[in-house]
Amino acid sequence: MTNALNTFGGTATEKRPVWEAMKRGMMGKCPKCGEGKLFKSYVKNHDECGVCGQDFRGHRADDAPPYLTIMLVGHIIIPVALWVEAEFDPAMWVQFLAWLPILLISSWFTLPIAKGAMIGLQWANRMHGFGGPDADPKADA
Ligand SMILES: [Zn+2]
Protein backbone atom coordinates (compact mmCIF):
# COMPACT_ATOMS: atom_id res chain seq x y z
CA MET A 1 0.00 0.00 0.00
CA THR A 2 1.49 3.33 -1.00
CA ASN A 3 0.62 6.75 0.15
CA ALA A 4 1.25 9.78 -2.06
CA LEU A 5 1.16 12.15 0.88
CA ASN A 6 4.21 10.88 2.72
CA THR A 7 7.12 8.51 2.09
CA PHE A 8 7.33 7.24 5.68
CA GLY A 9 4.34 6.58 7.84
CA GLY A 10 1.71 8.59 6.05
CA THR A 11 -1.08 6.45 7.42
CA ALA A 12 -1.48 4.61 10.69
CA THR A 13 -1.35 1.20 8.97
CA GLU A 14 1.48 1.84 6.52
CA LYS A 15 4.63 -0.15 7.26
CA ARG A 16 7.66 1.90 8.20
CA PRO A 17 11.18 0.79 7.18
CA VAL A 18 12.84 -0.48 10.37
CA TRP A 19 16.47 -0.62 9.23
CA GLU A 20 16.30 2.71 7.42
CA ALA A 21 14.84 4.35 10.53
CA MET A 22 17.46 2.73 12.76
CA LYS A 23 20.30 3.80 10.44
CA ARG A 24 19.00 7.36 10.43
CA GLY A 25 18.76 7.30 14.20
CA MET A 26 22.29 5.90 14.52
CA MET A 27 23.54 8.85 12.47
CA GLY A 28 21.71 11.24 14.81
CA LYS A 29 19.07 12.08 12.21
CA CYS A 30 15.30 12.04 12.39
CA PRO A 31 14.07 8.48 11.72
CA LYS A 32 11.14 9.80 9.70
CA CYS A 33 12.75 12.24 7.24
CA GLY A 34 16.49 11.60 7.73
CA GLU A 35 17.16 15.34 7.51
CA GLY A 36 16.49 16.89 10.91
CA LYS A 37 18.75 16.40 13.89
CA LEU A 38 17.67 13.91 16.53
CA PHE A 39 19.86 15.17 19.38
CA LYS A 40 20.27 18.71 20.68
CA SER A 41 23.17 17.70 22.92
CA TYR A 42 25.11 14.50 23.59
CA VAL A 43 22.13 12.13 24.05
CA LYS A 44 19.40 14.68 24.76
CA ASN A 45 16.90 14.52 21.92
CA HIS A 46 15.01 17.44 20.44
CA ASP A 47 11.32 17.57 21.28
CA GLU A 48 10.51 17.42 17.58
CA CYS A 49 12.24 17.32 14.21
CA GLY A 50 13.18 20.75 12.89
CA VAL A 51 12.50 19.65 9.29
CA CYS A 52 9.41 17.40 9.28
CA GLY A 53 7.99 18.14 12.74
CA GLN A 54 8.02 14.51 13.97
CA ASP A 55 7.44 14.57 17.71
CA PHE A 56 10.22 12.75 19.59
CA ARG A 57 8.76 13.23 23.05
CA GLY A 58 7.01 9.86 22.88
CA HIS A 59 10.13 7.72 22.72
CA ARG A 60 10.92 5.38 25.61
CA ALA A 61 14.55 4.45 25.01
CA ASP A 62 15.12 4.51 28.78
CA ASP A 63 17.83 2.01 29.84
CA ALA A 64 18.14 0.21 26.52
CA PRO A 65 20.92 2.40 24.99
CA PRO A 66 23.26 2.06 28.01
CA TYR A 67 22.49 -1.67 28.12
CA LEU A 68 23.36 -2.04 24.43
CA THR A 69 26.49 0.06 24.90
CA ILE A 70 27.70 -2.08 27.78
CA MET A 71 26.93 -5.24 25.85
CA LEU A 72 28.66 -4.12 22.64
CA VAL A 73 31.69 -2.45 24.17
CA GLY A 74 32.11 -5.15 26.80
CA HIS A 75 31.94 -7.98 24.27
CA ILE A 76 34.58 -6.32 22.12
CA ILE A 77 37.00 -4.86 24.68
CA ILE A 78 36.96 -7.51 27.44
CA PRO A 79 38.06 -10.45 25.25
CA VAL A 80 40.88 -8.32 23.84
CA ALA A 81 41.93 -7.27 27.35
CA LEU A 82 41.90 -10.90 28.49
CA TRP A 83 43.94 -11.95 25.47
CA VAL A 84 46.50 -9.17 26.13
CA GLU A 85 46.71 -10.24 29.77
CA ALA A 86 47.23 -13.89 28.90
CA GLU A 87 49.64 -13.25 26.04
CA PHE A 88 51.77 -10.36 27.31
CA ASP A 89 51.05 -10.05 31.04
CA PRO A 90 51.57 -6.27 31.15
CA ALA A 91 51.84 -4.41 34.46
CA MET A 92 48.57 -3.45 36.10
CA TRP A 93 49.24 0.31 35.74
CA VAL A 94 49.83 -0.17 32.01
CA GLN A 95 46.50 -1.95 31.69
CA PHE A 96 44.69 0.80 33.59
CA LEU A 97 46.29 3.44 31.39
CA ALA A 98 45.31 1.56 28.25
CA TRP A 99 41.92 -0.01 28.93
CA LEU A 100 40.16 2.70 30.91
CA PRO A 101 40.48 5.35 28.18
CA ILE A 102 39.61 2.81 25.51
CA LEU A 103 36.49 1.75 27.43
CA LEU A 104 35.43 5.33 28.14
CA ILE A 105 35.96 6.55 24.58
CA SER A 106 34.27 3.49 23.06
CA SER A 107 31.28 3.91 25.35
CA TRP A 108 31.15 7.66 24.66
CA PHE A 109 30.87 7.03 20.91
CA THR A 110 28.54 4.04 21.17
CA LEU A 111 25.88 5.46 23.50
CA PRO A 112 24.36 8.07 21.11
CA ILE A 113 24.46 5.53 18.28
CA ALA A 114 22.58 3.02 20.44
CA LYS A 115 20.05 5.64 21.54
CA GLY A 116 19.46 6.78 17.95
CA ALA A 117 18.95 3.18 16.85
CA MET A 118 16.50 2.58 19.68
CA ILE A 119 14.47 5.70 18.85
CA GLY A 120 14.48 4.69 15.17
CA LEU A 121 13.32 1.19 16.08
CA GLN A 122 10.52 2.56 18.23
CA TRP A 123 9.46 5.01 15.54
CA ALA A 124 9.43 2.35 12.80
CA ASN A 125 7.34 -0.01 14.91
CA ARG A 126 4.95 2.75 16.05
CA MET A 127 5.83 2.07 19.64
CA HIS A 128 4.84 4.42 22.45
CA GLY A 129 4.24 7.93 21.08
CA PHE A 130 5.18 7.13 17.47
CA GLY A 131 1.86 6.40 15.88
CA GLY A 132 0.53 3.53 17.94
CA PRO A 133 -3.05 3.38 19.13
CA ASP A 134 -2.23 5.51 22.19
CA ALA A 135 -0.29 8.14 20.25
CA ASP A 136 -1.31 11.67 19.46
CA PRO A 137 -2.98 11.48 16.02
CA LYS A 138 -1.47 14.86 15.08
CA ALA A 139 2.09 13.57 15.67
CA ASP A 140 2.01 11.37 12.57
CA ALA A 141 0.32 13.83 10.23
ZN1 LIG B 1 12.21 14.73 10.50
Side-chain angles (χ1 to χ4, degrees):
M1 184 165 110
T2 57
N3 184 340
L5 297 175
N6 199 332
T7 55
F8 285 176
T11 66
T13 56
E14 190 173 348
K15 192 167 178 64
R16 293 174 175 171
V18 175
W19 289 114
E20 185 68 27
M22 288 179 71
K23 281 192 289 185
R24 289 174 173 178
M26 285 191 278
M27 293 186 299
K29 300 290 184 184
C30 168
K32 183 176 181 180
C33 69
E35 300 285 324
K37 290 185 176 181
L38 185 58
F39 301 117
K40 60 183 167 187
S41 63
Y42 177 52
V43 287
K44 179 86 173 158
N45 57 282
H46 285 285
D47 287 341
E48 55 190 40
C49 177
V51 176
C52 71
Q54 172 66 47
D55 191 345
F56 299 134
R57 285 175 283 230
H59 86 81
R60 295 287 181 268
D62 299 333
D63 293 342
Y67 176 80
L68 287 172
T69 299
I70 291 167
M71 190 177 75
L72 288 171
V73 172
H75 279 88
I76 293 168
I77 302 294
I78 300 302
V80 175
L82 291 173
W83 176 79
V84 168
E85 169 65 23
E87 196 69 26
F88 302 105
D89 193 23
M92 192 60 74
W93 68 269
V94 172
Q95 294 195 55
F96 271 110
L97 278 180
W99 296 119
L100 283 179
I102 289 171
L103 283 170
L104 290 172
I105 291 168
S106 300
S107 299
W108 180 263
F109 281 107
T110 306
L111 185 58
I113 294 170
K115 184 167 183 179
M118 190 58 54
I119 292 174
L121 178 71
Q122 292 178 358
W123 178 83
N125 288 304
R126 301 178 188 279
M127 297 168 72
H128 312 299
F130 291 129
D134 57 340
D136 180 3
K138 291 180 293 188
D140 202 35

